[in-house]
Amino acid sequence: TGRYTPQIACLFMTDRCNLNCGYCSAGRILSEGRAEWQENEATLEKVKRIFSNPWFRNVLLADLMGGEPLLVKDLDRIVAYLKDEGCLTNTSTNGLLLAERIGDLKRAGISRINISLYDANRMVIERDLEKINQIFPVHATYVLVRSEVEKAPEKILKIARFVREKGCLSLRFFMYR
């Protein structure tokens, strides 16, 4: 297994999200009051158990996914553990909780953070992004919708300028079907 272990491990940290986007099911778990999310929530102990398996001991990058990973109480402890194990860590977030958690994640040794930009988180991101980037520069992602590309291409340029002016390291676009 030492020679053929995965290079990247995608860990689903939580089923929960503090947004409720129409194209994603994660937000409905909280809004519907479903309790099964607790069984699936990542903890430091669960991550240690996963990485004690020989298949995961030599992973180079752990991609910490969700739902919304910042809802996981142990996230900074998980990042610190993975860093101590020699693993790079990446997470994608909607950024709603990032301003309050960015210092802890930086101290824990996170390698990369990506903020997904949506209309639903726009006000918080506009308020917090510059401060976040001063502590730990992040990357940004924006989901392109065909109707927006066709009818409001200036909005895409506005987002690109905003991300650059606030100090993000990059901007990626994803196409939504």
Side-chain angles (χ1 to χ4, degrees):
T1 61
R3 186 171 173 200
Y4 298 105
T5 60
Q7 293 180 2
I8 300 172
C10 295
L11 299 175
F12 286 89
M13 305 300 289
T14 183
D15 292 336
R16 300 181 296 147
C17 185
N18 47 1
L19 286 179
N20 196 2
C21 302
Y23 53 84
C24 180
S25 63
R28 288 192 283 279
I29 288 171
L30 285 182
S31 66
E32 293 173 0
R34 298 190 331 219
E36 72 268 9
W37 66 265
Q38 295 168 336
E39 298 169 16
N40 299 327
E41 191 101 337
T43 64
L44 179 58
E45 291 71 31
K46 289 178 184 178
V47 172
K48 283 182 176 182
R49 195 167 53 242
I50 291 167
F51 278 80
S52 70
N53 184 305
W55 284 104
F56 291 93
R57 272 196 211 118
N58 295 319
V59 164
L60 298 174
L61 171 70
D63 198 7
L64 310 176
M65 305 170 74
E68 174 50 49
L70 295 182
L71 291 173
V72 174
K73 182 180 71 168
D74 280 353
L75 185 62
D76 53 322
R77 293 175 56 215
I78 291 167
V79 168
Y81 165 75
L82 292 170
K83 182 180 185 290
D84 290 347
E85 293 295 306
C87 193
L88 299 170
T89 52
N90 172 64
T91 196
S92 290
T93 175
N94 62 35
L96 294 178
L97 302 173
L98 191 54
E100 64 190 62
R101 300 211 52 195
I102 190 73
D104 291 336
L105 290 169
K106 179 181 179 180
R107 282 186 291 282
I110 196 151
S111 307
R112 187 178 194 278
I113 298 172
N114 184 77
I115 295 178
S116 299
L117 305 173
Y118 309 107
D119 287 339
N121 66 353
R122 189 184 83 231
M123 288 182 6
V124 172
I125 299 304
E126 286 176 355
R127 181 192 71 204
D128 294 345
L129 189 56
E130 188 169 9
K131 181 174 92 172
I132 289 166
N133 278 322
Q134 289 171 354
I135 297 168
F136 185 87
V138 300
H139 302 263
T141 300
Y142 185 71
V143 177
L144 292 176
V145 179
R146 182 178 181 172
S147 61
E148 198 170 84
V149 172
E150 293 174 345
K151 296 175 185 163
E154 67 280 352
K155 181 178 180 184
I156 298 165
L157 292 173
K158 184 179 177 183
I159 289 166
R161 285 186 195 104
F162 167 75
V163 165
R164 184 188 69 214
E165 290 167 3
K166 297 299 180 182
C168 289
L169 297 172
S170 70
L171 173 62
R172 291 184 300 175
F173 292 100
F174 287 122
M175 302 299 285
Y176 180 65
R177 48 191 159 95

